[in-house]
Amino acid sequence: MAKLTHLCVLLLWAGQKPALTATPEGLRVRQQPPSLSVMRGETATLSCHFKVESLKYGVQWFKMKSEKNQLIPKSSRQFVVEKNQTSSLVIAEVTLEDSGWYYCEVNVLQKDPEWGNGTELVVLAPPSSPQIYLQIPPDPQTGQWALFCLTGGFHPSELTLTWTYQSAGAIIDHLPLTNCTLPAPHPHAELSEHLTDGAVLSSDRLVNPKCFQVTDNHSREAYLFSVFLLPQKESLETGITFTCSVQDHPARTAALTTSFTWDASPNELIGHLNIFKMCFLSAVTAIFLLEAVKHCRVQAK
């Protein structure tokens, strides 16, 4: 019975988290949490806990950039709060550029500095609602019509875009579907610190022949395009509704969807577009004539 009691005590002791106690050298540092995710614009607080026996110590915070630790300067948006041997780095109104790894360094007089284990800050920006655009071929009568689905403004670049279709009056199972999946970035990946030739957009990667990702070099937001080739109208007996869905992003719990119904023949659609074009040109002409009349009246006076 005594052995069983002793064994239980050992198991309980092994299951507990190690306490933060001073080592023989008088210092131990631990950062919490190991990873922190916050929405863009919120406040992030990173904590560094330590146990020192000396009253003469100092704490500095660094951010990993280009495989080097760079000291974080104090500012109105980034400041440090110290209390009870805990140093907290507070970052207000976080931006995408704040994403990365942060380390605290504790210096004690006449001792070697000791580093924390690091905290990864992940700043989340949700994707926009998908938008579907119709691409008109140069020759609408015989060319290939297509749909483009666009979502953007998200970070990190971890997302799935899917196409689905349905028809109430026809059985269709011959349309090829291509989904776009952006895998989670490498844990130690960081945003590029340099822009290429001052370009506004940079091409990150071709996910597959029908999916393409670009990044806004100013805002560091990602955009994802996907194309779906429409079937020839002559091969359909009724209209088809195509739906583009955006899901699997860490900043959202529910999917975002939008739909387009391919039910008008190209000739009918071209007719509608021509009517719209004529109305637009007529409106522009009317505005031009009104401005000309006003100008003539001013000249007459």
Side-chain angles (χ1 to χ4, degrees), residues 167-190:
S167 176
I171 300 177
I172 48 177
D173 57 2
H174 60 283
L175 301 181
L177 294 175
T178 301
N179 297 331
C180 307
T181 299
L182 299 178
H186 189 273
H188 290 274
E190 56 183 276

Side-chain angles (χ1 to χ4, degrees), residues 19-37:
L20 188 63
T21 58
T23 64
E25 290 76 19
L27 179 62
R28 183 179 177 184
V29 181
R30 184 179 71 238
Q31 287 182 235
Q32 286 187 340
S35 179
L36 177 65
S37 297

Side-chain angles (χ1 to χ4, degrees), residues 62 68 72 74 109 144 209 220 228 260 280 283 289 291:
F62 295 82
K68 294 182 180 179
I72 299 176
K74 294 181 180 180
L109 187 63
Q144 178 71 67
R220 309 297 177 90
F228 188 95
F260 173 87
F280 177 76
L289 292 176
E291 292 296 329

Side-chain angles (χ1 to χ4, degrees), residues 110-238:
Q110 297 181 347
K111 293 184 182 296
D112 293 332
E114 186 167 335
W115 291 81
N117 51 298
T119 296
E120 181 186 18
L121 176 61
V122 180
V123 180
L124 304 176
S128 62
S129 297
Q131 299 291 328
I132 291 181
Y133 301 91
L134 177 65
Q135 182 191 40
I136 304 175
D139 185 354
Q141 302 292 342
T142 60
Q144 178 71 67
W145 293 64
L147 294 178
F148 281 89
C149 185
L150 168 65
T151 183
F154 56 91
H155 184 269
S157 56
E158 175 185 351
L159 180 140
T160 300
L161 187 152
T162 60
W163 286 98
T164 57
Y165 60 87
Q166 62 179 357
S167 176
I171 300 177
I172 48 177
D173 57 2
H174 60 283
L175 301 181
L177 294 175
T178 301
N179 297 331
C180 307
T181 299
L182 299 178
H186 189 273
H188 290 274
E190 56 183 276
L191 295 172
S192 174
E193 298 293 331
H194 304 285
L195 304 184
T196 304
D197 299 328
V200 177
L201 294 176
S202 64
S203 301
D204 286 351
R205 51 181 160 172
L206 185 66
V207 182
N208 59 54
K210 295 182 180 180
C211 300
F212 194 69
Q213 179 194 355
V214 297
T215 299
D216 186 328
N217 285 329
H218 176 68
S219 65
R220 309 297 177 90
E221 298 172 340
Y223 293 83
L224 182 63
F225 301 84
S226 177
V227 60
F228 188 95
L229 300 179
L230 292 171
Q232 297 295 329
K233 180 63 179 176
E234 292 76 9
S235 65
L236 302 178
E237 297 180 358
T238 185

